[in-house]
Each structure stands twice: as C-alpha cells, then as structure tokens.
Amino acid sequence: MVKSIGARDLFLRYGSQTILDGVDISLVSGRIGALIGPNGAGKSSAFRILAGLVKPDRGHAVADNAPPGNFRSLRSYCGYLLETPDFYPYLSGKQNLELLRRLSGTRTNVSDLINLVGLSHDSGKKVQHYSKGMKQRLGLAQVLIGDPGFLILDEPFNGLDPEVREQMIAFLITLRNRGKGILVSTHLLGDIESIADDFTMLHRGKVFLAGSMDKYRDNRQNVTLWFSNPLPENLDIGPVLTLTPNSIRLLAGIGETEMLLQKLSVAGLFPYSVTRSGILHDKYMEMTR
Amino acid sequence: MIRLIRFELIKLIYRPRIYLCLGLMVVLVALIFWGLKTEGDNAVSYVVKSLEKNFVINGQVVNGYFVTFIILNTLWIHLPVLIVIITGDLFSSELESGTIRLVLARPVGRSQMALSKFIAALFFVLIFILSWALVSLWPALILFGKGDLLVFFNGVQILEEKDLWWRFISAFGFAFLGMASFAIFSVTLSFFIRKSLVTILISIGVLVISTLLQTLSTSLFTGWQSFLITYHLTQWQLFFYTDIDWSAIFGSVIWLVSFSGICIVAALVRFNRMRITE
C-alpha cells in the first residue's frame, strides 16, 4: 500500500506567465495537508497537474520511493474534488455517482456514499436542481468512489453553509483517522488550521513556506483581550502592541497567554473575550505584505 | 475502453435532446407522407402524362418505394443538422460544463476517452439511420402500397420491385456512412472549438456552404465537387441507377472513410496535448 504521494519540482507556464516555479507537494497517509495562497498563487493549477488535467512544463509525480512517473499514474491512488464539481445536469445525484462508479470499475455502494454526505433525501433529484452546497457534497461523495487512499480537495468548503462546513470538517477528520492522506486548498484559514497537520503556502507560483503545523503551534501570535470595564491606568503587563481602555493587543505564545490571564485574574481583571489569530493567518498576512 | 464506451452510451441515452432529434425526424417524415398523400399524384402527374404518350403505365407511380426514395432525397441535408445537434457537443459540452474533470480525474486514458466519444457518435448515427429507415419505408409501404420504382436521374430509371430491397438497404447503409463521417467531423470540431453552440453552428455552416458550392460546381467550379463532403453524402443515389457506377461508390466510400480517419487522428492529437484549465 502506498504511504505517500506527491509532486516534485513543478514548473508551469501559460504563455509568458509563470504559474508554478519549482513547487513540491506531498500527501502522506493519515495526515491532512493544506495548500494555501491568495488568488492566482497557483493552487488550482497545482491541483490540475496532480489530477493529470494539465501537463507541467517540468516536474514529476512520486509515489513512495518508486521512480518518478507521470501524473496520470497517481489517479489510481487518488480521489479528486476540483473546485466546484460539475455533474451531468440531466441525471440525478445517484445516477451521476452510479455512472462514475461504473467508469471506475469498483463495487463501492453508492447509496452508502450518499448517506455519508447527507444527500439521501435528494439523491433522486436531477443535479440541475441542486444547490452549490449539495453539489459540493455530491462532489465529496464521488471522491470516495473506489475508496482511494488519498484525497485531493480543491476548495471543498466553497458554498457550504456553516453547519455543513462543520460537518465537512468533522468528516475530513474521520477520513484522516481512517488513514487517508488528504490535501485541501482553501481560503478559510481558520477552518483548515484546526485540522491541518502540514501546510504549504504558495505565493506567485513559488513555495513561500511549508512544514508541519506542530512546528508553529507555539509561535507568538496576535492575542486580543476585551474587557467590559475600563482597565486601570497603572496596569503593568509588559510590552503590548496596543492598549485601549477596554482592550489589550499583544504578541504572545500559548504559554504566555495563559500566564497573562492568570496575572490579570489576580488583579481582578477578567476579559469577556480572548481572540487569538491563527498561525496560518499570521503567516499568510506576512506572505502577502 | 468498454467501460468508457458504456459510460458514453448511458449518458447519450439519458440526454433529452436525443429524443427531440428523433422526434423531429419523425415529424419531417410524417410531413412528407402527408404532403405526398394529399398532393403526390398531382405533383408527379405532369411527368407521368408525358410518359404516358409513349408507355403504358400500370399501377401507382406514387407507391411506398417512391415515397421512401423522395424522403431519402429530401432529407439528406436536414438529417445531418439533427445529427450534429447531438454529436457536435459530445465533447465540448463536457468542457463547458466542467464534467470532463470528473472523467479525466479517473484512471482513463485520453485517447480512449476521445475514441469512446466517436464510438458513441457512431452508435447514435446508427440508431438514427435505422429509425429513419424504419419510419420511412415501413409506413410508406402500408400507406402507399408497393410497385416498381420510377426515378428521374438523367432520364427515367425504372427499377423492378423485386430489385428494390437490396438497393434501399445499400442506400441507407451508404447514408449511414455519410452521416457517420459528418458526425465524426462535428465531434472533431468540438475538440478544437470547445463551445458547443459554435461547434454546431460551424458544422451546419460547412454543410450549407458545401451544398452551395456543390450546386455552383456544375457551372463554376467544375471538377471541385469531389472535394466536398455533401457530394459524397449524396452518392447513395447511385444505387437507384439501372447500371450502378460501382467505382464512383467505392471512390466515395474511400473518401468518407479517409476523411473520418483524418478527423479522428486530428482529434486524438489535439486532445492529448490539451490543457484542461476550465
């Protein structure tokens, strides 16, 4: 069984424009990877290459320690959700999945997949009557046809309402725990930060930063504390970024934040809200500045 | 490959427009039946009258075979239009809707996928031509009766009834080859143009211009007609001469098969180099 797949040294140009320049991407079994970047960073192009839809000008696919191959060879290990998925509108959701199951030549039970993504009540409806969120869920169901070891999901939270997004996140965690390797691209950094194990940040076609989330979890981040009553003027809590009568903003790691909260409680100050910006958010802002 | 062909055929069967096209074909045939039933004898009477000066005519000139022959002669330009509505967007509709990503993200080869599209197009044309033959010949024989066939090509050709079945089967078979070539051409166009409507319009445009040039070729472009697809589409008529020009028929068969082959190769080369960026 293949434990890891990926792409090495991707280089892609459209005309004179460089879309990807020396990008490496990895998926590892039992881990969720996040591919992050602003619009035009090259995320979708990287996903299209991984799916074999676009042939890169340079670069190759890897699967474990096997010799470098082409990207079409990855398809037998992967399920793909490429942007907002499109289905045959004149067929029902179930018919679409059944058709794709036949094409894949697998014995996957389509009804199980439909139940899994919560579409059992609408599976008989023609896809042309589906909402974006329903299509997205159907998209996730089609990814799981054939029970692939790796899932490549381009913007899977697009068009989902908060409740369904929560369900989707929980579902991805379940799949990760079952040993699937998952690569997700998204703009919703808060959502992905809570579940990602690894990340790759793309900026203008190049990798800006990549690594394990664990490495950055203890980094100092923007912490803001909000108080309902005005703060005393002689408050001594060390260096802060901004201090207003009702709020304190400072850079602090998790341990430092805990100590600060303790210190404030001794002084009889209890914030009604503490917000901590995400690791990915801070890095993202740093990258785009 | 078998899985892909089945995949294409299932999609084809579920497309509502396939039934619309078959329905339109039936309507066109029914209109011709109606016209010939009400006015057919009057329409051919002036020709028959001139013949009656020299020949004794027994039986009905406007019989089932004659009606079927008229249908073949009338609809050879209309039916490719109906066919192209289906085949012209077999590929481009997948690009436009983005469903191509669903297919190509599975372990299928591009050449196999393209070939399965062509096979689906041929299957549709086969069903279409068989339906056409069925709704033309069978009701025509019931409604108008049987008899010898009188056709007017370079004078009058009189074909005996016992000699007609194989001629009609051959004519419909040749019609299949011609329509299949045109369908393959339209599928190929869709690999290059990417927009369904534009593909369909260009295919119809080629048909119209080719017909026009073929008409003009007798006076202006003598010798050019063998380069026109419509010239070869109409060669089924050769089966209704008393002395059949087999070399002309084989020439057209070779032209249509070669043309189809070139189209398929072009589509395969194009598709294998295509970046799916939509």
Side-chain angles (χ1 to χ4, degrees), chain A residues 81-87 135-136 138-140 142, chain B residues 101-102:
Chain A
L81 177 71
L82 299 167
E83 296 156 48
T84 304
D86 291 293
F87 293 90
K135 280 186 189 171
Q136 202 74 2
L138 193 62
L140 194 64
Q142 66 83 24
Chain B
R101 292 179 305 203
L102 278 182

Side-chain angles (χ1 to χ4, degrees), chain A:
Chain A
M1 191 181 147
V2 175
K3 294 281 183 196
S4 70
I5 61 165
R8 297 285 171 271
D9 193 26
L10 291 183
F11 187 85
L12 179 71
R13 286 176 81 94
Y14 287 139
S16 60
Q17 196 184 355
T18 301
I19 309 295
L20 294 170
D21 188 359
V23 171
D24 289 349
I25 295 171
S26 295
L27 281 93
V28 181
S29 292
R31 290 182 80 82
I32 296 178
L35 189 63
I36 301 154
N39 287 333
K43 300 188 300 292
S44 290
S45 295
F47 274 65
R48 287 189 193 116
I49 290 172
L50 285 170
L53 298 180
V54 170
K55 198 176 169 190
D57 296 305
R58 198 176 70 210
H60 54 263
V62 285
D64 281 349
N65 296 321
N70 64 29
F71 288 94
R72 290 180 192 181
S73 64
L74 293 183
R75 290 184 200 160
S76 46
Y77 311 118
C78 297
Y80 300 89
L81 177 71
L82 299 167
E83 296 156 48
T84 304
D86 291 293
F87 293 90
Y88 299 102
Y90 46 88
L91 299 178
S92 70
K94 189 171 183 179
Q95 284 172 326
N96 266 287
L97 290 187
E98 191 57 46
L99 199 61
L100 292 168
R101 184 196 67 76
R102 281 165 179 262
L103 182 64
S104 302
T106 68
R107 291 174 185 276
T108 307
N109 189 329
V110 162
S111 299
D112 287 349
L113 292 181
I114 286 169
N115 290 335
L116 203 65
V117 296
L119 275 178
S120 45
H121 291 297
D122 300 299
S123 63
K125 262 192 206 171
K126 286 189 176 170
V127 168
Q128 63 197 12
H129 303 302
Y130 274 27
S131 66
K132 201 173 176 183
M134 287 159 80
K135 280 186 189 171
Q136 202 74 2
R137 282 195 263 176
L138 193 62
L140 194 64
Q142 66 83 24
V143 167
L144 298 169
I145 289 174
D147 195 24
F150 298 93
L151 310 179
I152 293 176
L153 314 174
D154 193 5
E155 303 283 357
F157 308 120
N158 250 2
L160 299 182
D161 54 50
E163 187 196 351
V164 181
R165 210 165 69 211
E166 289 292 319
Q167 289 170 5
M168 180 81 103
I169 288 171
F171 188 49
L172 291 184
I173 292 170
T174 309
L175 291 172
R176 188 231 346 241
N177 295 343
R178 284 185 197 167
K180 307 263 184 227
I182 304 170
L183 180 66
V184 178
S185 85
T186 180
H187 288 103
L188 303 169
L189 300 178
D191 285 345
I192 199 64
E193 183 160 335
S194 60
I195 60 168
D197 302 298
D198 309 294
F199 72 94
T200 301
M201 274 192 181
L202 285 185
H203 188 47
R204 292 180 183 155
K206 290 186 177 180
V207 175
F208 173 78
L209 193 67
S212 162
M213 288 292 291
D214 293 338
K215 192 174 157 190
Y216 295 93
R217 290 221 197 269
D218 285 333
N219 270 17
R220 286 181 152 196
Q221 294 160 256
N222 270 302
V223 178
T224 311
L225 298 96
W226 298 92
F227 299 87
S228 48
N229 296 318
L231 293 164
E233 284 183 8
N234 58 350
L235 185 68
D236 178 22
I237 51 167
V240 294
L241 292 173
T242 54
L243 182 65
T244 69
N246 291 85
S247 72
I248 303 167
R249 196 160 74 87
L250 72 165
L251 277 173
I254 292 173
E256 289 168 312
T257 310
E258 284 170 350
M259 280 174 64
L260 175 66
L261 287 170
Q262 216 169 11
K263 199 171 173 182
L264 288 168
S265 68
V266 170
L269 298 168
F270 300 97
Y272 67 84
S273 169
V274 179
T275 55
R276 188 177 161 84
S277 70
I279 303 163
L280 294 177
H281 178 267
D282 286 355
K283 293 290 172 197
Y284 186 93
M285 296 311 286
E286 191 184 325
M287 175 176 77
T288 51
R289 260 198 296 270

Side-chain angles (χ1 to χ4, degrees), chain B residues 256-268:
Chain B
L256 289 169
V257 171
S258 308
F259 177 72
S260 302
I262 291 166
C263 285
I264 291 171
V265 170
L268 291 180

Side-chain angles (χ1 to χ4, degrees), chain B residues 25-91:
Chain B
M25 182 262 287
V26 172
V27 168
L28 285 171
V29 170
L31 280 173
I32 294 171
F33 279 161
W34 177 70
L36 287 172
K37 193 74 187 166
T38 52
E39 290 294 324
D41 286 327
N42 291 341
V44 295
S45 63
Y46 77 99
V47 182
V48 173
K49 270 179 191 161
S50 64
L51 285 173
E52 279 173 338
K53 288 176 190 167
N54 302 308
F55 299 99
V56 176
I57 297 175
N58 285 321
Q60 285 283 321
V61 173
V62 183
N63 58 41
Y65 296 116
F66 181 80
V67 170
T68 308
F69 178 79
I70 294 290
I71 288 170
L72 262 166
N73 218 4
T74 310
L75 296 185
W76 69 268
I77 194 160
H78 301 84
L79 295 191
V81 172
L82 294 181
I83 285 171
V84 96
I85 289 172
I86 297 295
T87 58
D89 81 339
L90 272 181
F91 179 75

